[in-house]
Amino acid sequence: MNDKIITGNPAHAAGAAALDTLVRPAIRALSAYHVPDATGLIKLDAMENPYSLPEELREPWLSALREQALNRYPDPQASLLRTTLRATMGIPAGMGLVLGNGSDELIQMLALALGGPGRTLLSVEPGFVMYRMIATVAGLDYLGVPLRAEDFALDLDATLAAIEEHQPALTFLAYPNNPTGNLFAADSIARIIEASPGLVVVDEAYAPFTDHSFLSRLGDWPNLLVLRTVSKMGLAGLRLGYLAGPPEWIEEIDKTRLPYNINVLTQASAVFALRHAEVFDAQTRLIRAERERLAKALAAMDGMQVYPSEANFILLRLPDGTAGPVFMGLKAQGVLIKNLDGAHPRLRDCLRVTVGTADENQAFLEALAKAV
Ligand SMILES: *Cc1c(COP(=O)(O)O)cnc(C)c1O
């Protein structure tokens, strides 16, 4: 993924010309999604749950894995896992459910099912970067409607006007939003669903950290789907996302799914984890409490603007021109967060920190006090 073309060698130069003619221009223009090396650092950059599986659950988990037949293909429907998810996550009866290798794969499946020349994928910005990336790869036009500058709320008039003009096949709204952490007004989302000629996907990747959801409203509109993941609740390593909505839509989207996309170890591990959901609920409560403590401590610092968050991260705005140096200063002290300065015009001077354990958050606060 990180191989560089060596220039100066004629064989490589010919290779580069072939790249230009053979690789689609939209792909040539992309940069691969970059994941920074976090070796040896306190990792507060990727919205991971900082807690691992409790010691007393490790043996029973390994026993469940030991029973899996690695020589056989996985259950293509992941039936047991889907039944367990339906019960644990409260997916309304009568709604369809399809699983993905992470919710990223489900975004891709949606784009493949509804994409095509001249079709538009709409989202809001600053938002989750994979919407644009996947739209580009799948050959859809991408449109990002700016959020309000002062509070990252939906600009309802601008969004409705963009829907009217571009008639998007697909609209994605992250609820809460990444990287801003806020919840959009539910009645604005309802207006967007009603005005949309295409599907509206409410992406609830951060559902464990908020009391608000559109899951129970599935079926209220024929074009609403809800996307979820187990990544942020503490199972990012499993790669499992799920998409729920009207069965006739889910059936079509399921046709773009590769047959065995959820491997046996993920199916078994996720069923095991969901049967112990109370463990993850307890960890989530700790993270929510730490979020409030961290937000208070940050708000007490000079010149720091702290945006309200319903997710497991906090967006900060620093004094003019200091985000880059502060980010580097934190890294030099062994703390990795996310520098968003330069990622979008509305994110100037912004940093994003994932809520970690109490100790990690304390280390971050102390390093920050030295770095500013
Ligand atoms: C993290 C994130 C995802 C991706 O989750 P995976 O299931 O790990 O692929 C999707 N949407 C949003 C808004 C996210 O922040």
Side-chain angles (χ1 to χ4, degrees):
M1 202 147 103
N2 292 319
D3 287 1
K4 291 205 173 61
I5 307 286
I6 299 154
T7 49
N9 178 329
H12 284 111
L19 289 178
D20 281 335
T21 49
L22 291 176
V23 179
R24 285 160 47 211
I27 306 298
R28 281 294 272 162
L30 277 180
S31 334
Y33 188 80
H34 173 68
V35 179
D37 182 16
T39 314
L41 301 174
I42 295 178
K43 196 170 184 312
L44 301 177
D45 66 326
M47 282 81 96
E48 290 149 330
N49 172 341
Y51 305 103
S52 54
L53 199 63
E55 200 51 47
E56 66 274 16
L57 287 184
R58 295 200 160 234
E59 259 322 304
W61 168 54
L62 289 171
S63 304
L65 291 186
R66 241 173 242 128
E67 287 164 25
Q68 300 308 311
L70 294 186
N71 57 318
R72 301 293 178 194
Y73 283 105
D75 171 3
Q77 301 304 329
S79 303
L80 178 60
L81 175 52
R82 286 199 303 152
T83 309
T84 312
L85 268 172
R86 278 185 179 280
T88 317
M89 299 303 182
I91 295 167
M95 287 296 125
L97 182 66
V98 57
L99 308 187
N101 186 339
S103 51
D104 286 347
E105 190 187 42
L106 289 160
I107 300 168
Q108 187 178 57
M109 283 161 55
L110 283 157
L112 290 173
L114 275 73
R119 305 226 182 157
T120 298
L121 186 154
L122 183 144
S123 193
V124 291
E125 292 194 344
F128 185 45
V129 294
M130 290 308 289
Y131 303 144
R132 176 198 286 270
M133 179 119 182
I134 288 170
T136 306
V137 170
L140 286 100
D141 295 331
Y142 172 82
L143 187 70
V145 180
L147 295 170
R148 287 199 328 212
E150 60 278 18
D151 58 1
F152 298 119
L154 283 174
D155 183 339
L156 186 59
D157 290 342
T159 310
L160 292 176
I163 289 168
E164 172 73 24
E165 185 184 345
H166 297 274
Q167 300 284 303
L170 262 175
T171 295
F172 283 90
L173 296 171
Y175 184 78
N177 190 42
N178 170 16
T180 57
N182 58 315
L183 278 173
F184 300 136
D187 54 345
S188 296
I189 294 180
R191 293 275 304 279
I192 289 169
I193 298 168
E194 273 153 25
S196 292
L199 291 185
V200 176
V201 181
V202 175
D203 180 347
E204 300 190 344
Y206 300 97
F209 310 102
T210 178
D211 296 329
H212 300 269
S213 170
F214 274 75
L215 201 61
S216 66
R217 303 186 71 177
L218 281 175
D220 287 3
W221 300 275
N223 59 336
L224 169 67
L225 282 80
V226 171
L227 179 64
R228 292 263 186 107
T229 176
V230 301
S231 294
K232 276 66 189 220
M233 68 175 254
L235 300 168
L238 292 185
R239 308 306 300 132
L240 178 67
Y242 53 103
L243 177 70
E248 59 277 18
W249 282 110
I250 297 297
E251 216 170 285
E252 296 303 316
I253 291 149
D254 192 43
K255 293 177 186 171
T256 68
R257 187 174 60 85
L258 294 175
Y260 304 106
N261 64 330
I262 313 298
N263 72 70
V264 285
L265 300 181
T266 293
Q267 290 191 29
S269 299
V271 167
F272 176 85
L274 293 169
R275 286 178 177 161
H276 298 277
E278 73 286 352
V279 167
F280 297 90
D281 291 344
Q283 293 178 349
T284 299
R285 280 194 296 275
L286 282 177
I287 294 166
R288 287 170 74 152
E290 271 299 302
R291 172 182 73 199
E292 303 319 313
R293 192 182 74 87
L294 188 56
K296 256 199 203 125
L298 288 167
M301 293 179 74
D302 263 354
M304 193 77 67
Q305 186 179 356
V306 183
Y307 290 91
S309 172
E310 293 269 320
N312 63 340
F313 59 84
I314 296 174
L315 183 74
L316 305 169
R317 197 183 296 274
L318 278 71
D320 231 12
T322 62
V326 168
F327 169 78
M328 292 308 293
L330 286 167
K331 201 170 167 190
Q333 297 177 77
V335 181
L336 182 67
I337 64 166
K338 178 89 175 170
N339 182 7
L340 292 167
D341 183 66
H344 187 276
R346 292 255 198 282
L347 295 173
R348 253 193 67 178
D349 305 310
C350 284
L351 299 175
R352 185 191 67 199
V353 59
T354 302
V355 180
T357 63
D359 285 352
E360 289 173 334
N361 299 333
Q362 200 50 41
F364 161 69
L365 285 169
E366 283 165 21
L368 184 64
K370 286 186 197 148
V372 290

